Amino acid sequence: MKRTSSIIAGVAGLLLVALAATVLAADKPKEVTITGDAKCAKCALKESDKCQTVVQVQENGKTVNYYLADNDASKTFHKNVCEETKKATATGTVATVAGKQTLTVSKIELVK
């Protein structure tokens, strides 16, 4: 009887560990890389009261706008596209904020 209880407790412990690992893995956003037309949400798209970089990409025949979250990488890059659209490649994590695709970039550069 003791042995059966120990086995059941051990199996239950392993299941809890597996479940915790799955939940933690699901919570971590996946990093993606996109390439598209980088432009200013205020100057080019006329969608905002303040400047913000947007990368437009074609996905499944539709134009998708990725609004760059405000961080050092996006601030430094914005001067490249404020008044002129340029091709860019951005790497970061995507989240939906206020109904918009928001990309928190870790790296962004112009396509040469």
Side-chain angles (χ1 to χ4, degrees):
M1 182 74 164
K2 273 186 165 182
R3 185 173 180 197
T4 304
S5 295
S6 295
I7 292 173
I8 291 172
V11 170
L14 288 174
L15 288 174
L16 283 174
V17 169
L19 178 62
T22 302
V23 169
L24 290 175
D27 288 346
K28 184 177 180 183
K30 182 181 172 190
E31 195 165 73
V32 298
T33 299
I34 60 171
T35 300
D37 293 327
K39 51 185 74 179
C40 181
K42 178 183 176 185
C43 302
L45 297 177
K46 312 283 189 237
E47 292 183 354
S48 178
D49 294 340
K50 64 177 191 160
C51 291
Q52 179 182 13
T53 303
V54 176
V55 180
Q56 287 186 330
V57 299
Q58 295 297 317
E59 294 178 356
N60 300 321
K62 294 183 180 181
T63 300
V64 178
N65 291 336
Y66 289 93
Y67 295 82
L68 271 53
D70 195 21
N71 66 12
D72 290 341
S74 65
K75 286 179 187 177
T76 302
F77 180 80
H78 186 76
K79 67 181 177 287
N80 294 302
V81 297
C82 190
E83 295 181 14
E84 178 180 5
T85 300
K86 295 181 182 174
K87 280 272 191 213
T89 298
T91 301
T93 55
V94 178
T96 303
V97 178
K100 295 180 179 179
Q101 296 287 74
T102 301
L103 180 68
T104 302
V105 292
S106 56
K107 179 181 175 184
I108 185 167
E109 58 191 11
L110 294 174
V111 174
K112 296 174 180 154

